[in-house]
Amino acid sequence: MDRIERPYYPIIYVRGYAMTRAEIVETTSTPFMGLEAGSTKIRQAQDGSVVKFVFESPLVRLMKDHGYRDVYDGGAELRSGISPRSIVIHRYYDVADPAFGGGKAPSITEAAASLGRRILELRNSVCGGNATMRRDFRVYLVAHSMGGLICRCLLQNPEVAGAEARALVDKVFTYATPHNGIDIAGINVPDLLSLNDLNNFNRGNMAKYLKVAKDKVNTLGDSGFPPSRLFCLIGTNSRDYAVARGLSSFAVGAFSDGLVRIANAYVEGAPRAFVNRSHSGHFGIVNSEEGYQNLTRFLFGDTCATAQLDIAALPLPPEIESARKRGKQVRSSYYIEATVAPRGAYTYQLTARTQANECAVRREYGELFDGDGNLRRDARSPVLFSVFLDSRRITAGSEIAFSIELAVCNAGYEVDGALFLKNHIPGEYLFRNTLVLFAKPGEDGQWRLRYVWGDDQWAGGPKTRAELDSARSRAIGIVQQAPDVFSVPLASAKGFAAELKIALSAWA
């Protein structure tokens, strides 16, 4: 192949942390270091029977769906004549295996430095002396766990690699990376815990190799790399992480993937998605359909959709409102759930922020409204999701379609510090519905958006296609606030009111 074709750049996979010598040897004994691991689970068919669902692995799917290939031939790794559409494994642990190296595990900075060299070598292998290809060459970094910190060290620490290598990185996708370190029993891994390099996840050490302040280790600092081009896939299943016979998930606790707490698994300002997967294993985040769908849409998709919820009214029960007006101290909190699935999805969601998965957005009443019940000027409007879509996967018509299941739930009320349960059921939903969106860029370059609510779509029984199109096109109350920003009104009979702001943009 004599040209580089966006978006199909070479992919370099950077695996995660191996704790013991045995784990390191097991890692170096595999050709793809985990990217080839699949899973076989179950799903329920329409007739109620249980059938197998086989996820073949990210490696196999990238080869089958997108024409990628590996770089091995005749038992050796190719160093020349490599296709631009190739998958390369950054085998930084080889030097820690006595069979291949000196037996000492590399530091984060050493692994990042060798990654920088690998990028430049890959460019030479793919492009040779072709000036046009060298100009167009870029690379994607895909990393699991600690591998994401190695990628960030390359991008953020100018001492480990030159600007030339860093400039060739187009996008970074991280699975379950502890971007803000690892906490055990609520305490960050101490610096003194150097056994098996566990202090790689101490925030003080992270600040040094990432070249940021200790309280900003989950930022990209002054690297110049845009946060929008680094994706964070966050696992929310702590129960099925089986490492150390479950002791890890027990020590780290809920609200985690069994090793990395949800609150520590993202880079500030970066797009992120939440999937009910554990850190690794048979229920792991890398060998999942959800992970693969987010990966390929982020790397190869052409549309980005981001949603923000602006709450206007959050009614209190009459007794609670009366107590507030009498000067009582009233507290209440709310969970905001958002689940997004693209058209054609049957077994996966792109993101699911729900109470059940311990990752719903939480807001207190006092964060949104003042003592008089008026909306605060500084109220924080939560960003519910940033998802990437691919118009090439359109299965019907010419519009990109995806659904958003939205819910706002009360988590309980307190009056003067005491729980209030009279005439109130904890966990009551103030709003719950499914929004189906249809998006398409117009000939003038501006986006067109129409929608239908799930409970309206089949109201009165199945509609004809003409009736359904008419319902979808009504979009009563929709406001186009900018060429790519739309506002969808939300309201319920319980008095809840809000606007869902949806931003659509081209993505490459």
Side-chain angles (χ1 to χ4, degrees), residues 63 102 116 119 140 151 170 180 258 317 342 355 374 386 398 423 428 477:
M63 290 178 171
I119 291 172
Y140 295 138
C151 295
D170 189 77
N180 198 42
Q355 291 185 75
N374 299 315
S386 292
S398 59
N423 297 329
E428 176 185 5

Side-chain angles (χ1 to χ4, degrees), residues 62-98:
L62 285 166
M63 290 178 171
K64 290 177 64 173
D65 297 346
H66 297 282
Y68 274 79
R69 56 180 299 176
D70 63 29
V71 294
Y72 300 123
D73 185 48
E77 185 172 350
L78 296 172
R79 292 292 177 175
S80 62
I82 293 177
S83 166
R85 206 174 294 199
S86 291
I87 299 171
V88 176
I89 309 301
H90 180 40
R91 300 182 59 89
Y92 65 91
Y93 265 130
D94 279 359
V95 297
D97 186 337

Side-chain angles (χ1 to χ4, degrees), residues 32-51:
F32 301 106
M33 294 191 166
L35 193 65
E36 83 286 2
S39 62
T40 304
K41 296 302 170 189
I42 61 174
R43 65 174 176 84
Q44 194 170 31
Q46 289 186 346
D47 62 0
S49 62
V50 173
V51 297

Side-chain angles (χ1 to χ4, degrees), residues 346-488:
Y346 179 69
T347 59
Y348 64 88
Q349 299 153 337
L350 293 180
T351 185
R353 302 198 69 171
T354 66
Q355 291 185 75
N357 293 349
E358 300 174 335
C359 61
V361 177
R362 184 179 178 275
R363 285 290 187 273
E364 292 194 14
Y365 184 87
E367 293 180 88
L368 302 169
F369 298 90
D370 62 21
D372 296 324
N374 299 315
L375 186 67
R376 290 184 179 275
R377 291 185 178 181
D378 59 349
R380 294 186 301 125
S381 297
V383 175
L384 301 183
F385 60 80
S386 292
V387 296
F388 296 87
L389 304 162
D390 192 342
S391 64
R392 286 163 295 191
R393 301 189 185 192
I394 291 175
T395 56
S398 59
E399 296 169 305
I400 299 172
F402 60 102
S403 68
I404 310 170
E405 184 178 341
L406 289 169
V408 178
C409 171
N410 170 255
Y413 299 100
E414 288 183 5
V415 177
D416 284 345
L419 284 173
F420 186 90
L421 301 176
K422 182 181 178 181
N423 297 329
H424 163 64
I425 301 174
E428 176 185 5
Y429 280 100
L430 303 179
F431 177 89
R432 191 172 193 177
N433 209 334
T434 299
L435 183 68
V436 183
L437 289 153
F438 304 84
K440 181 181 180 180
E443 294 181 359
D444 57 0
Q446 294 191 1
W447 286 89
R448 304 289 186 268
L449 182 70
R450 56 195 183 98
Y451 69 87
V452 60
W453 286 107
D455 57 2
D456 290 336
Q457 187 167 357
W458 299 109
K463 297 178 180 292
T464 66
R465 181 56 185 262
E467 291 173 324
L468 185 56
D469 285 344
S470 175
R472 287 173 174 171
S473 300
R474 283 200 305 271
I476 299 173
I478 193 169
V479 176
Q480 187 165 357
Q481 298 184 329
D484 58 353
V485 179
F486 300 83
S487 178
V488 179

Side-chain angles (χ1 to χ4, degrees), residues 2 28 199 204 247 253 304 318 403:
D2 58 358
T28 59
N199 58 1
L247 290 177
C304 178
S403 68

